[in-house]
Amino acid sequence: MFERARRVRKGRRYARLLERGASRISRGLERRLASRSPLREVAFARSRRELDERMAAERTIGDVLDTTGTFYEPNGAYRGYGPYRSLRALQHRAEIAELAHEVRARDPETVLEIGSANGGTLYVWARVLNGVETLISTDLDYRGRRALLDHFAARSETSLRCIEGDSHEAATTRAVREALAGRPIDFLYLDGDHSYAGVSADFETYGPLVADDGLVGFHDVETSGTGVPRLWSELERAYECRTIGGTDRDGPGTTGILYKGGRS
Ligand SMILES: C[S@@+](CC[C@H](N)C(=O)[O-])C[C@H]1O[C@@H](n2cnc3c(N)ncnc32)[C@H](O)[C@@H]1O
């Protein structure tokens, strides 16, 4: 009887493995087909045209945020198609505006963002940081939007490297280091995994790569239900830090800026 139960369990395990393998293959196939579909190409061409018009009209940080839209202003002036339909930044307008001003004043050459979602904040860095030389982004899944991200980066004279993967995995860290090619990060923006362990791991892994006078931005340092406030209160005791943006415990909110070498 035990032998039979063991065989049944083994059979189920194989079936699960086969199922997982099949769904992985079909997801890969779907992506490959989607990336070649003529519909997708039309969507990209139209989205690119829309975005080019917006980029040509941008003069200020406010204009850039008008393009993307923000958390409470979801309808940005840019309206794309298909997977490129939105560049919305999941931020309060005031907090991302102030952060962008502060980071721009430092004229960073190298920026790493963990967690790019629609590409909203990535767009802000590309557009506002005066052709930042090296812009690196990591996300678990760019959901087929890479072409648009590459496009706005190229139009902004920024070399963008998107690394799809878990920021905690060694392969992702290796790819980030390769993209940095020995240069320190001037601005690190952490907006990926919001669990205490996750954001702490990101800070421990990528924090040491930040220049001695560099900045680290954390999103949601006051957002309940995430682990960011706990890490933030620890960091505030160890580093010079300030918070910007209002308190919005139910929505995205409050950015923390950590000054690695103190505030100058
Ligand atoms: C809040 S969104 C980022 C919003 C974006 N910074 C903006 O406002 O435009 C969080 C993103 O982090 C990504 N993410 C979560 N955990 C991650 C991890 N361990 N490694 C890389 N990306 C991660 C998610 O896929 C999601 O796209």
Side-chain angles (χ1 to χ4, degrees):
M1 198 169 106
F2 288 126
E3 181 54 24
R4 189 157 166 262
R6 202 177 63 81
R7 274 208 306 272
V8 169
R9 273 203 309 274
K10 206 169 165 190
R12 281 201 199 119
R13 214 166 41 233
Y14 282 138
R16 270 202 306 272
L17 281 176
L18 276 176
E19 215 173 85
R20 250 183 254 157
S23 95
R24 222 173 264 170
I25 290 169
S26 87
R27 272 204 310 269
L29 211 59
E30 250 172 46
R31 259 188 214 163
R32 222 166 289 164
L33 282 176
S35 69
R36 289 181 183 177
S37 108
L39 262 182
R40 192 186 187 86
E41 276 169 27
V42 172
F44 178 56
R46 293 186 66 180
S47 305
R48 193 176 52 190
R49 214 174 309 131
E50 288 274 331
L51 192 57
D52 285 347
E53 273 173 29
R54 273 303 310 166
M55 286 195 279
E58 286 168 357
R59 298 284 176 273
T60 64
I61 291 178
D63 295 338
V64 171
L65 295 177
D66 286 343
T67 299
T68 61
T70 54
F71 191 77
Y72 290 109
E73 300 163 320
N75 297 323
Y78 163 75
R79 305 295 280 277
Y81 301 86
Y84 316 109
R85 70 186 154 275
S86 171
L87 272 177
R88 179 184 177 199
L90 303 173
Q91 313 270 327
H92 282 278
R93 190 185 174 96
E95 69 174 325
I96 183 68
E98 189 171 342
L99 178 63
H101 274 289
E102 171 127 14
V103 176
R104 184 166 70 176
R106 301 235 170 183
D107 206 7
E109 288 179 3
T110 309
V111 171
L112 168 64
E113 171 174 279
I114 309 284
S116 295
N118 302 321
T121 43
L122 197 62
Y123 182 78
V124 174
W125 313 137
R127 302 297 295 154
V128 159
L129 302 180
N130 304 326
V132 56
E133 259 170 51
T134 306
L135 180 57
I136 308 169
S137 152
T138 77
D139 203 293
L140 294 172
D141 188 351
Y142 290 96
R143 282 167 271 164
R145 288 186 288 243
R146 290 264 291 266
L148 193 71
L149 311 185
D150 287 338
H151 176 68
F152 69 61
R155 288 293 308 268
S156 314
E157 290 172 28
T158 284
S159 147
L160 172 66
R161 174 81 202 281
C162 289
I163 300 164
E164 192 165 80
D166 186 330
S167 59
H168 307 138
E169 293 211 340
T172 308
T173 312
R174 240 188 341 264
V176 167
R177 281 180 178 276
E178 268 167 33
L180 287 169
R183 285 162 302 193
I185 299 168
D186 298 312
F187 173 53
L188 168 64
Y189 186 57
L190 298 181
D191 195 14
D193 183 339
H194 283 53
S195 67
Y196 174 73
V199 66
S200 304
D202 282 339
F203 182 66
E204 275 157 30
T205 306
Y206 301 102
L209 305 180
V210 174
D212 292 343
D213 60 349
L215 300 185
V216 186
F218 293 78
H219 196 221
D220 293 311
V221 297
E222 291 188 355
T223 305
S224 61
T226 78
V228 190
R230 180 173 156 202
L231 174 65
W232 186 242
S233 63
E234 293 168 7
L235 294 175
E236 278 182 316
R237 278 180 245 128
Y239 294 90
E240 197 162 336
C241 296
R242 80 174 180 111
T243 55
I244 53 177
T247 301
D248 181 1
R249 285 163 194 275
D250 300 321
T254 318
T255 290
I257 306 182
L258 179 151
Y259 301 83
K260 195 168 169 189
R263 233 164 131 176
S264 49

